[in-house]
């Protein structure tokens, strides 16, 4: 300190007259030159450091080159001067107070790569202060001019090695600073990500995580995991390498999930039931994020253990809701996991133990547990009445997983098939259908838990029907079974809806006069009931909103079901659908967009696809549309998209904050009340079909479906492929016919030939007999001739004896010759 | 994510002029297919392969970093040399220039890499050579390259990523050489000193409960 004051005195000049900062800086710069003693230079740097706080501009403008020279020449030799120089430079680049100045100084320092390379060399110094100050300086340079630093870093001879080395530093402060620098250094630079991975960044980061105690570790663990995440995200080369390292299975171990467990074994309890706090949640959430990255990336050989870990975490653990949601959203969209065969055991908190004791529930398939989670929320709907955003998001995420799972047509059909009654087999009540057909009780305030269940059921069910003509038509034959007492224990069903139905056994049902209603009929009735209840004047705002939500659920599902399915349209119209839809349109108020808009949309679909003969035809509907005014209808229908609840939905977001309650900023978003209206699949469906519906509304009843022009390419392809099939099949039929004819005709020929043969045989026999007869006659004649010739010879002899001239006959000549 | 075990992990780099077929060699090794028209590599790409050396009864995990040959990436790819145990120095037998440039690549390797690194000179694209026909496009005689390799103490092979000829052999020869170095004690067996060679020892058990069957990869 004494030395310092001496310096100041010397600088102040003999007269004691005050000098300007610029003059002082000028004098100090002279002292920085290598010609002076190290001690003097050190003093000068310290003085500059002091000045730079208040005279940043003067020091920056004049002293930077000198300071950098000291950094290059002295910092390695003398840690004190190094530390002081680095701190001065850090201060000069600070942009918090004087923004422009900070950037200007940063640019000056980064004019060429020398400074950065010097810093990399300094990092190799094991002196605490040098290392720490270097990291801090690097960090501010990165913050100001990241890309420049990144390009210099890649050319630094031992940059990556030095950075990795500081990640291993035993001193916590340095290590933490190092993570921050690495995080910033690798941002959006695939090259640096790869180089550091090559140098062993993964292992170092993992070591850090384990040293800190895995997911139970503190903020450093979280930082290290986030850092690991940024090494891998968007970098497929690093992902491939990471898979090679054997570290991925350690991710599972971090979550206490055994990586090499067989699929038949049940998940271990120490994984399922853990103690959770906020920090652990953040750490585990980062791990789940990385697992999701690995299972979701293209070319990943899907390892069932990773998917399974996510599924068990979401469906059979006591993990916090946010984490379960993250596990669900981390599942790959082309989910290839035997959800319907895989068995897990969900858990329930024992009441009034404050989450310290848990009951293991009966084993269920992952698919059932997923549907259950979507329908009722966590732990059998324990907190469903609070309707927190977090819980709704988790249920929405479960619906998305379900959607991805049934994306394959055969899985859809298999699911629906289970709901359709078959001859000779007893159909068990299905929770999905049960929730879908719950009858809203209009006498008491609507139960929000029931509304949410029905709503989620409608979302799940619409994923089964959309784009699948086969499922749409199969679903028409679903006849929901009334809930029986045995299954209500497992699933949350409001008491008022089950009570009147519960005791009906199957036999009485069969004897009942009325045949059981179809799903479509029940839904139509429920819709009618809800629309009536909605129009009651004495509803509170909240109550009205609940009814609206329920109606929206019914209408969305019906729209997607009836689209391109004339049979279902027929069912709906026969159940009185037309009147139900027209009513709310007639009495709609100005600000009311959603329900009338959707009613019209469904009405348009009914009109468009009313193509099967029935009581209500297009011709009977047309005057009604005209009376309401087609233009008005179209206007109202398309105004749905102006509604905030519709506009706010995106592929990622379907849960909205409940805007009628004052938002308290002290609460986390997931702990506030939320609500759900539409999912993206419906918004997407609406946007791609509403134009066809709109055009359909203005076509004459006898015109052909306008939808045919708006066919999806998929459909066109389907049609063309079917045409192809038909063509080849008809060709085959033709050739087969020809063959058949040929065979037939040859059969004919055979018959005639046989007949010929028979005839000929008979003829042959006849002629044979004739011949025999002739032969016999011939013989007789011969005998006669013989006799005659004998007589003749006698006569001749007699005549010769009598002296009569007798002609010589041949026989005698012959005799003479002899 | 693999459950197969190995005895050693070797880090390899593949280097040489642009368009000599470095990426194709790697893809041939890892995927057994030919990359007909690959895009130029940007920076580096990673690939890996398990090799079995029967006479040593050793399974080796090769981790290969395929580097960009383009000049602009040269400073980046240099960062990888130091950590490697083996190096494939590739040239194109139908390009004299790529062979000449191999010297400068070698100089780079010598400057930055570990002194014990095993380097194999690979003359790629021999499928384009046919000494009997007039369409022979060979510009680098095999004898000349062989001599160069001998002078510089490099292994040598001519290969074709297209036909697959000698591709695995190139990597195997290099791996054998590294194994023999290990056997001779060039690397102290207990504490492997080359950063590119990692012994599989069930160390760092804390992280990896399956370490008994699955070697950990942390620096021994």
């Amino acid at each position: 300190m004494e030395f310092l004051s001496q310096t100041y005195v010397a600088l102040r000049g003999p007269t004691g007259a005050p000098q300007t900062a610029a003059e002082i800086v000028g004098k100090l710069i002279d002292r920085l030159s290598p010609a002076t003693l190290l001690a003097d230079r050190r003093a000068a740097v310290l003085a500059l450091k002091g000045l730079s706080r208040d005279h940043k501009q003067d020091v920056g403008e004049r002293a930077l080159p000198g300071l950098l020279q000291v950094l290059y020449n002295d910092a390695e030799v003398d840690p004190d001067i190094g530390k002081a120089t680095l701190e001065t430079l850090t201060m000069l680049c600070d942009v918090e107070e004087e923004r422009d100045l900070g950037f200007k100084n940063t640019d000056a320092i980064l004019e060429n790569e020398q400074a950065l390379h010097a810093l990399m060399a300094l990092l190799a110094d094991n002196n605490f202060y040098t290392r720490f100050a270097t990291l801090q300086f690097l960090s501010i340079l990165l913050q100001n001019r990241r890309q420049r630093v990144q390009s210099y870093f890649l050319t630094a001879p031992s940059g990556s090695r030095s950075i990795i080395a500081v990640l291993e530093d035993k001193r916590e402060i340095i290590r933490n600073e190092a993570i921050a620098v690495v995080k910033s250094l690798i941002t959006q630079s695939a090259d640096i990500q790869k180089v550091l991975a090559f140098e062993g960044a993964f292992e170092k980061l993992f070591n850090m995580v384990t040293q800190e105690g895995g997911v139970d570790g503190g903020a450093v663990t979280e930082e290290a995991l986030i850092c690991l995440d940024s090494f891998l995200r968007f970098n497929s080369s690093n992902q491939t390498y990471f898979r090679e390292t054997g570290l991925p299975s350690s991710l599972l171990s971090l979550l206490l999930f055994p990586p090499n467990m067989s699929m038949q074994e049940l998940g271990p309890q120490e994984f399922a039931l853990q103690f959770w706090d906020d920090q652990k949640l953040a750490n585990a959430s980062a791990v789940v994020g990385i697992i999701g990255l690995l299972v979701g990336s293209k070319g990943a050989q899907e390892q069932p253990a990773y998917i399974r870990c996510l599924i068990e975490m979401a469906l059979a653990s006591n993990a916090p809701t946010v984490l379960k949601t993250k596990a669900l959203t981390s599942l790959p969209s082309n989910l290839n996991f035997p959800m319907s065969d895989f068995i897990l055991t969900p858990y329930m908190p024992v009441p009034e133990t404050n989450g310290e004791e848990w009951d293991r529930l009966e084993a269920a398939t992952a698919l059932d547990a997923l549907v259950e989670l979507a329908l009722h929320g966590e732990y059998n709907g324990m907190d469903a009445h609070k309707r927190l955003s977090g819980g709704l998001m988790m249920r929405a995420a479960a619906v998305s997983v379900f959607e991805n799972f049934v994306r394959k047509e055969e899985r859809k059909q298999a699911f629906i098939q289970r709901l359709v009654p078959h001859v000779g087999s007893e159909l068990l009540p299905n929770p999905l259908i049960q929730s879908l057909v719950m009858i809203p009780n209009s006498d008491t305030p609507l139960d929000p838990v029931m509304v949410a269940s029905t709503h989620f059921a409608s979302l799940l069910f619409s994923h089964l029907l959309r784009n699948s003509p086969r499922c749409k038509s199969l679903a028409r034959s679903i006849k929901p079974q009334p809930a029986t007492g045995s299954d209500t224990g497992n699933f949350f069903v409001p008491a008022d809806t089950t009570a009147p139905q519960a005791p009906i056994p199957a036999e009485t049902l069969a004897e009942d006069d009325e045949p059981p209603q179809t799903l479509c009929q029940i839904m139509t009735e429920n819709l009618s009931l809800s629309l009536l209840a909605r129009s009651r004047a004495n509803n509170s705002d909240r109550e009205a909103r609940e009814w609206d939500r329920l109606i929206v659920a019914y209408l969305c599902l019906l729209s997607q079901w009836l689209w391109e399915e004339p049979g279902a349209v027929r069912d709906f119209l026969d159940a009185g659908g037309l009147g139900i839809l027209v009513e709310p349109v007639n009495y709609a108020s100005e600000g009311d967009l959603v329900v009338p808009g959707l009613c019209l949309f469904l009405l348009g679909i009914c009109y468009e696809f009313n193509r099967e003969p029935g009581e209500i035809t297009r011709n009977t509907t047309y005057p009604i549309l005209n009376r309401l005014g087609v233009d008005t209808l179209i206007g109202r229908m398309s105004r749905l998209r102006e509604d905030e609840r519709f506009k706010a939905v995106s592929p990622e977001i379907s849960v909205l904050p409940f805007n009628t309650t004052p938002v308290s900023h002290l609460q986390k978003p997931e702990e506030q009340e939320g609500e759900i209206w539409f999912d993206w699949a419906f918004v997407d469906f609406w946007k791609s079909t509403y134009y066809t519906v709109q055009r359909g509304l203005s076509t004459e009843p006898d015109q052909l479906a306008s939808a045919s022009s708006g066919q999806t390419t998929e459909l066109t392809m389907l049609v063309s492929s079917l045409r192809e099939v038909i063509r080849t099949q008809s060709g085959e039929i033709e050739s087969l016919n020809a063959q058949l004819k040929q065979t037939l005709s040859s059969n004919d020929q055979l018959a005639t030939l046989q007949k010929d043969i028979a005839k000929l045989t008979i003829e042959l026999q006849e002629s044979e007999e004739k011949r025999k007869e002739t032969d016999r006659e011939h013989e007789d004649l011969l005998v006669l001739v013989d006799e005659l010739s004998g007589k003749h010879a006698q006569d001749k002899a007699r005549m010769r004896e009598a002296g009569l001239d007798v002609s010589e006959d041949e026989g005698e000549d012959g005799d003479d010759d002899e | 994510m693999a459950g197969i075990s190995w005895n050693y992990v070797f880090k390899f780099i593949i280097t040489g002029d642009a368009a000599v077929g470095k990426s194709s060699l790697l893809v041939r090794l890892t995927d057994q297919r030919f990359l007909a028209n690959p895009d130029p590599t940007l920076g580096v790409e990673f690939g890996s392969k398990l090799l079995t050396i029967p006479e040593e009864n050793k399974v080796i995990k090769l981790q290969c970093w395929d580097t960009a040959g383009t000049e602009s990436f040269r400073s980046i790819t240099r960062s990888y040399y130091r950590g490697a145990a083996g190096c494939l120095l590739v040239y194109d037998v139908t390009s004299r220039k790529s062979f000449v440039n191999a010297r400068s690549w070698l100089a780079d390797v010598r400057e930055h890499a570990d002194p014990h690194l095993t380097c194999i000179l690979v003359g790629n694209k021999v499928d384009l050579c046919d000494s009997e026909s007039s369409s022979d496009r060979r510009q680098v005689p095999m004898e000349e390259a062989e001599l160069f390799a001998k002078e510089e103490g490099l292994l040598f092979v001519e290969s074709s990523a297209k036909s697959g000829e000698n591709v695995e052999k190139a990597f195997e020869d290099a791996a054998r050489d590294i194994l023999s170095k290990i056997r001779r004690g060039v690397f102290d067996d207990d504490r492997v000193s080359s950063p590119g060679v990692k012994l599989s020892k069930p160390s760092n058990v804390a992280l990896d409960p399956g370490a008994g069957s699955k070697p950990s990869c942390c620096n021994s």
Side-chain angles (χ1 to χ4, degrees):
Chain A
M1 243 13 236
E2 194 190 338
F3 180 79
L4 204 63
S5 56
Q6 279 173 3
T7 319
Y8 266 115
V9 172
L11 286 169
R12 211 172 53 217
T15 57
Q19 293 177 323
T20 64
E23 283 169 342
I24 303 174
V25 172
K27 287 192 179 157
L28 287 170
I29 294 167
D30 291 340
R31 302 204 171 195
L32 289 178
S33 87
T36 54
L37 287 169
L38 183 61
D40 284 352
R41 294 206 291 277
R42 195 187 299 140
V45 172
L46 285 169
L48 282 170
K49 182 182 162 192
L51 281 170
S52 61
R53 200 159 295 143
D54 299 321
H55 303 281
K56 201 187 254 184
Q57 184 163 10
D58 293 315
V59 180
E61 267 171 16
R62 311 186 62 179
L64 265 185
L67 284 169
L68 287 175
Q69 281 307 316
V70 173
L71 185 72
Y72 305 152
N73 302 326
D74 300 331
E76 258 176 300
V77 188
D78 180 53
D80 292 339
I81 201 170
K83 171 177 177 261
T85 313
L86 287 163
E87 282 170 354
T88 313
L89 288 170
T90 308
M91 230 181 289
L92 290 176
C93 293
D94 183 50
V95 286
E96 254 166 48
E97 279 167 28
E98 286 161 280
R99 209 179 137 74
D100 296 342
L101 218 52
F103 280 121
K104 197 176 139 206
N105 290 333
T106 310
D107 288 337
I109 291 167
L110 293 176
E111 200 168 284
N112 58 43
E113 55 186 27
Q114 200 181 356
L116 199 87
H117 289 187
L119 289 176
M120 287 302 145
L122 275 180
L123 269 188
D125 195 329
N126 202 23
N127 179 289
F128 175 83
Y129 290 106
T130 312
R131 249 188 198 189
F132 187 62
T134 308
L135 284 170
Q136 282 193 314
F137 184 40
L138 262 177
S139 155
I140 203 154
L141 289 178
L142 276 164
Q143 186 192 316
N144 293 353
R145 293 282 183 253
R146 199 188 69 231
Q147 285 174 321
R148 191 93 57 82
V149 174
Q150 288 175 329
S151 69
Y152 292 156
F153 173 81
L154 280 168
T155 59
S158 58
S160 44
R161 202 184 333 165
S162 317
I163 287 283
I164 293 299
V166 287
L167 275 182
E168 273 190 306
D169 204 305
K170 296 277 180 292
R171 292 159 293 197
E172 206 169 305
I173 301 177
I174 291 192
R175 202 188 52 190
N176 298 356
E177 195 68 27
I179 299 186
V181 167
V182 168
K183 252 171 74 179
S184 170
L185 189 64
I186 62 173
T187 307
Q188 290 176 14
S189 169
D191 284 325
I192 299 184
Q193 290 163 7
K194 288 183 208 167
V195 175
L196 293 185
F198 176 84
E199 289 286 345
F202 296 153
E203 288 85 354
K204 303 292 177 291
L205 290 170
F206 251 102
N207 284 346
M208 211 180 283
V209 171
T210 23
Q211 279 161 20
E212 291 290 314
V215 283
D216 291 316
V220 184
T221 307
E222 188 186 349
E223 289 290 296
L225 288 167
I226 291 172
C227 198
L228 187 62
D229 188 290
S230 24
F231 267 110
L232 298 169
R233 209 165 284 271
F234 314 122
N235 192 329
S236 57
S237 178
N238 268 2
Q239 288 173 15
T240 321
Y241 177 45
F242 185 63
R243 286 203 184 89
E244 292 298 326
T245 57
L247 292 172
S249 63
S250 315
L251 286 172
L252 297 183
S253 311
L254 281 178
L255 298 174
L256 304 183
F257 191 83
N260 301 318
M261 207 171 40
S262 92
M263 290 295 270
Q264 282 72 40
E265 269 176 89
L266 284 176
Q269 204 152 36
E270 60 268 28
F271 164 76
L273 301 178
Q274 303 186 32
F275 288 103
W276 293 96
D277 57 38
D278 283 355
Q279 185 60 54
K280 182 171 176 180
L281 169 61
N283 297 344
S285 179
V287 176
V288 167
I290 299 173
I291 294 178
L293 191 76
L294 292 176
V295 295
S297 65
K298 234 173 72 178
Q301 311 115 338
E302 252 186 61
Q303 295 271 322
Y306 298 87
I307 305 262
R308 177 176 172 184
C309 172
L310 296 179
I311 286 179
E312 295 232 1
M313 175 170 272
L315 302 176
S317 80
N318 73 341
T321 312
V322 191
L323 194 57
K324 287 182 175 174
T325 312
K326 179 142 191 175
L328 287 171
T329 47
S330 296
L331 287 168
S333 57
N334 56 341
L335 185 58
N336 209 356
F337 187 83
M339 295 286 281
S340 42
D341 299 326
F342 179 68
I343 303 289
L344 41 71
T345 53
Y347 290 86
M348 274 284 279
V350 177
E352 284 153 36
T353 57
N354 202 13
E356 282 174 11
E357 283 175 43
W358 294 78
D359 277 337
R360 193 176 200 152
L361 298 185
E362 256 179 58
T365 69
L367 189 59
D368 286 345
L370 182 77
V371 169
E372 165 67 20
L373 181 67
L375 290 178
H376 303 301
E378 248 179 320
Y379 314 130
N380 238 344
M382 199 175 70
D383 286 330
H385 60 279
K386 293 186 194 153
R387 224 155 39 181
L388 304 178
S389 283
L392 289 177
M393 280 183 209
M394 180 182 58
R395 291 164 74 176
V399 173
S400 300
V401 172
F402 182 81
E403 181 188 4
N404 286 332
F405 179 73
V406 298
R407 193 156 285 178
K408 285 197 178 138
E409 178 73 21
E410 63 265 27
R411 289 189 187 154
K412 268 186 216 185
Q413 288 186 16
F415 198 99
I416 289 268
Q417 207 80 51
R418 273 169 48 196
L419 310 174
V420 178
H422 293 284
V423 185
S425 66
E426 181 114 357
L427 203 61
L428 292 170
N430 183 286
L432 171 55
I433 298 297
Q434 300 270 298
S435 300
L436 198 56
V437 299
M438 271 190 251
I439 300 162
N441 191 334
S442 54
D443 301 331
T444 56
L446 200 52
D447 178 7
V449 175
M450 170 260 163
V451 175
S453 288
T454 305
H455 198 162
F456 278 104
S458 77
L459 296 178
L460 290 171
F461 202 68
S462 62
H463 289 316
L464 288 169
L465 301 187
R466 203 182 313 107
N467 302 330
S468 170
R470 173 112 182 92
C471 291
K472 283 181 188 179
S473 92
L474 272 175
R476 289 176 55 206
S477 46
I478 296 178
K479 296 196 174 79
Q481 306 256 322
T484 52
S486 61
D487 67 287
T488 48
N490 210 352
F491 303 113
F492 187 95
V493 180
D496 52 331
T497 61
T498 49
Q501 297 177 337
I504 306 175
E507 302 89 66
T508 53
L509 243 187
E511 291 160 17
D512 215 321
D513 292 341
E514 295 224 352
Q517 283 183 303
T518 64
L519 179 60
C520 189
Q521 282 167 333
I522 297 178
M523 288 199 55
T524 314
E525 264 176 32
N526 287 357
L527 174 64
S528 163
L529 203 67
S530 313
L531 283 167
L532 270 176
R534 169 186 190 259
S535 58
R536 276 194 315 230
N538 59 353
N539 283 336
S540 67
D541 278 357
R542 202 182 170 105
E543 178 79 6
R545 210 173 165 84
E546 289 308 317
W547 283 111
D548 275 8
R549 197 196 315 281
L550 190 60
I551 293 164
V552 164
Y554 292 138
L555 287 172
C556 289
L557 174 57
L558 284 168
S559 308
Q560 296 175 79
W561 189 354
L562 268 47
W563 173 258
E564 291 184 334
E565 179 62 29
V569 171
R570 174 58 43 223
D571 292 350
F572 178 70
L573 292 178
D574 287 347
L578 189 62
I580 296 172
L581 291 182
V582 171
E583 200 70 1
V585 176
N586 265 338
Y587 299 104
S589 66
E590 203 34 50
D592 190 11
L593 300 179
V594 172
V595 171
L598 280 173
C599 282
L600 281 171
F601 182 58
L602 184 56
L603 183 62
I605 291 176
C606 286
Y607 181 63
E608 176 68 30
F609 295 103
N610 185 0
R611 302 288 175 186
E612 281 191 0
E615 207 175 319
I616 301 160
T617 62
R618 279 169 68 83
N619 280 316
T620 48
T621 322
Y622 190 62
I624 301 175
L625 293 179
N626 268 338
R627 191 169 50 76
L628 293 167
V630 170
D631 288 340
T632 328
L633 295 183
I634 291 173
R636 300 210 70 155
M637 186 186 100
S638 54
R639 279 186 71 197
L640 171 64
R641 64 181 154 193
E642 289 167 27
D643 194 278
E644 278 305 322
R645 288 166 282 185
F646 187 82
K647 276 199 292 189
V649 175
S650 76
E652 289 82 27
I653 299 163
S654 57
V655 177
L656 312 172
F658 191 71
N659 53 12
T660 55
T661 51
V663 174
S664 138
H665 293 281
L666 294 171
Q667 280 177 314
K668 293 184 198 164
E670 65 265 17
E671 283 170 11
Q672 287 164 8
E673 190 175 348
E675 56 176 2
I676 187 164
W677 288 88
F678 301 101
D679 67 344
W680 175 250
F682 178 77
V683 172
D684 199 36
F685 166 80
W686 189 89
K687 284 181 176 167
S688 59
T689 53
Y690 93 93
Y691 183 68
T692 312
V693 175
Q694 178 182 322
R695 223 174 19 175
L697 276 173
S698 50
T699 44
E700 305 277 321
D702 48 356
Q703 269 178 347
L704 277 176
S706 61
S708 56
S709 58
Q711 274 170 349
T712 55
T713 47
E714 204 184 335
L715 209 62
T716 330
M717 270 163 59
L718 188 70
V719 168
S720 70
S721 82
L722 285 178
R723 277 209 188 112
E724 188 58 33
V725 170
I726 291 174
R727 196 173 306 136
T728 51
Q729 283 180 345
S730 67
E732 273 169 34
I733 289 175
E734 240 165 70
S735 72
L736 283 176
N737 262 344
Q739 274 180 19
L740 189 67
K741 223 174 272 171
Q742 229 175 349
T743 328
L744 280 180
S745 65
S746 61
N747 273 351
D748 276 357
Q749 279 176 348
L750 198 66
T752 43
L753 282 177
Q754 263 166 353
K755 231 180 275 170
D756 282 357
I757 290 173
K759 210 164 80 188
L760 286 174
T761 329
I762 296 168
E763 276 174 3
L764 189 68
Q765 274 173 351
E766 279 171 8
S767 56
E768 195 92 335
E769 268 162 39
K770 239 181 238 165
R771 194 179 56 86
K772 272 183 193 155
E773 213 167 314
T774 336
D775 274 359
R776 232 175 288 136
E777 271 170 39
H778 192 70
E779 246 167 68
D780 289 350
L781 281 175
L782 275 178
V783 173
L784 200 67
V785 169
D786 219 28
E787 275 171 26
L788 273 177
S789 57
K791 212 170 169 190
H792 178 69
Q794 276 176 352
D795 286 346
K796 256 189 196 171
R798 222 177 291 148
M799 276 163 77
R800 224 173 266 153
E801 280 168 29
L804 287 173
D805 192 30
V806 183
S807 62
E808 287 299 322
D809 59 14
E810 290 145 36
E812 273 162 312
D813 279 350
D815 290 340
D816 292 341
D817 285 343
E818 279 175 21
Chain B
M1 284 186 166
I4 318 157
S5 59
W6 53 85
N7 304 93
Y8 290 100
V9 178
F10 291 168
K11 286 189 179 182
F12 270 49
I13 47 165
I14 309 177
T15 180
D17 260 13
V20 296
K22 298 183 291 297
S23 302
S24 301
L25 280 173
L26 181 58
V27 170
R28 167 60 76 182
L29 178 80
T30 55
D31 296 10
Q32 283 87 37
R33 67 189 167 94
F34 178 58
L35 211 55
N37 286 307
D39 293 329
T41 306
L42 302 176
V44 290
E45 287 302 325
F46 172 80
S48 90
K49 163 99 176 168
L50 280 183
L51 274 187
T52 315
I53 309 289
E55 66 270 24
E56 303 254 354
N57 195 19
K58 291 273 158 49
V59 179
I60 309 235
K61 187 169 193 77
L62 278 190
Q63 294 182 335
C64 300
W65 274 267
D66 166 32
T67 67
T70 334
E71 194 57 38
S72 54
F73 286 106
R74 200 141 170 177
S75 57
I76 296 178
T77 55
R78 274 186 195 129
S79 319
Y80 289 84
Y81 292 174
R82 194 188 59 89
C87 169
L88 266 74
L89 179 51
V90 189
Y91 70 95
D92 174 355
V93 290
T94 67
S95 155
R96 180 95 216 149
K97 186 162 164 272
S98 74
F99 179 65
V100 174
N101 284 345
R103 281 181 192 278
S104 87
W105 287 108
L106 182 62
D108 250 21
V109 172
R110 291 267 150 85
E111 186 186 341
H112 297 283
D114 184 88
H116 296 306
L117 168 124
T118 292
C119 189
I120 179 163
L121 183 68
V122 181
N124 194 26
K125 306 197 189 176
V126 281
D127 53 284
L128 298 175
C129 303
D130 181 3
S131 50
E132 260 117 75
S133 95
S134 55
S135 62
D136 187 4
R137 291 164 59 185
R138 183 187 279 277
Q139 289 185 2
V140 184
M142 188 165 157
E143 298 72 27
E144 186 185 350
E146 211 162 12
L147 188 69
F148 167 65
K150 204 169 175 188
E151 282 169 6
E152 293 289 345
L154 313 175
L155 305 171
F156 172 69
V157 76
E158 279 195 345
S159 72
S160 160
K162 188 171 183 179
S163 71
E165 179 187 347
N166 280 348
V167 173
E168 215 159 299
K169 180 176 180 346
F171 289 91
E172 275 175 18
D173 284 357
R176 274 202 189 86
D177 191 63
I178 300 170
L179 275 181
S180 80
K181 280 180 185 169
I182 293 171
R183 213 176 35 243
R184 293 198 312 266
V186 173
F187 311 110
D188 190 350
D189 204 11
D190 235 23
R191 202 189 65 85
V192 177
S193 66
S194 164
V197 179
K198 288 168 182 178
L199 253 176
S200 68
K201 283 192 295 187
S203 54
N204 297 58
V205 188
L207 248 187
D208 193 346
S213 62
K214 201 189 285 184
S216 108
C217 283
C218 305
N219 263 321
S220 339

